[in-house]
Amino acid sequence: TVECGAAYTDAGATAADTCDGTVNVTVNTSGVLTNTPGTYFVVFTAVDSPGNRQTAARTVTVIDTTAPVVTINGPYTQYLNCGLVYFELGALASDSCDSSVISAVATGDVNTSVAGTYSVSYVAIDASGNVGIAIRLVEVPYCDPFACYDWDNNAISDVLQFCLADRNGIPLVLQANGPTCQISTSSI
């Protein structure tokens, strides 16, 4: 048994003849297609000095147990501001044994109106039934434009300043000083 795409090296064979003793054996492995799953035969042939010929065969099974590789287009974690549209970037798939696997099917919903972590799964299946999976995380931050955030996860007394827009698109500057939050409109 050999994995699809791997090199096959035969162990060889020996032959003995009552008159000639040890006889040379030729090995024919040309029928073994290691890039295609299936059952193949290696043929051994021995010929003694009077020309008597004897053949034997070894069964070689090529199997595919390797899943397709799924590669996500773009970042594996995508950050979207609340309310923005999520555009699916897709994924590509490749398989060392099945060249027909070139895309992956995306499943999962992203609701950018609700804060949270969403996952989009990409699945590719090859002809042997092996499954490759990759997952993109989509992070939608807290959706309240009037909240103060401790972005660096330090003490509550951190001084944080960052820019947001309110529901009407008016630029805001939020300043967090300890437990208080000040909001003011500003030219940005």
Side-chain angles (χ1 to χ4, degrees), residues 137-157:
L137 295 178
V138 179
E139 298 278 346
V140 178
Y142 191 66
C143 289
D144 182 355
F146 299 107
C148 289
Y149 305 103
D150 185 10
W151 289 107
D152 60 1
N153 293 318
N154 288 335
I156 192 69
S157 63

Side-chain angles (χ1 to χ4, degrees), residues 7 74 96-98 110 122 166 169:
S96 61
C97 192
D98 183 359
V110 176
Y122 302 89
D166 70 10

Side-chain angles (χ1 to χ4, degrees), residues 145-146 161-175 181-188:
F146 299 107
Q161 186 171 347
F162 53 94
C163 297
L164 290 176
D166 70 10
R167 288 182 178 95
N168 298 314
I170 298 171
L172 301 174
V173 174
L174 276 69
Q175 173 105 15
C181 198
Q182 299 168 341
I183 302 173
S184 62
T185 58
S186 174
S187 298
I188 298 175

Side-chain angles (χ1 to χ4, degrees), residues 13-92:
T14 59
D17 183 75
T18 54
C19 295
D20 291 344
T22 302
V23 178
N24 286 334
V25 177
T26 59
V27 180
N28 182 351
T29 61
S30 64
V32 179
L33 305 175
T34 59
N35 289 323
T36 306
T39 302
Y40 303 97
F41 298 97
V42 175
V43 179
F44 303 94
T45 305
V47 181
D48 65 10
S49 56
N52 298 312
R53 177 181 302 262
Q54 184 64 42
T55 61
R58 175 178 323 210
T59 302
V60 176
T61 304
V62 177
I63 60 172
D64 178 13
T65 61
T66 304
V69 175
V70 178
T71 305
I72 291 177
N73 297 327
Y76 276 76
T77 301
Q78 189 171 351
Y79 299 93
L80 287 178
N81 287 331
C82 187
L84 292 181
V85 176
Y86 171 70
F87 292 102
E88 176 53 52
L89 299 175
L92 298 174

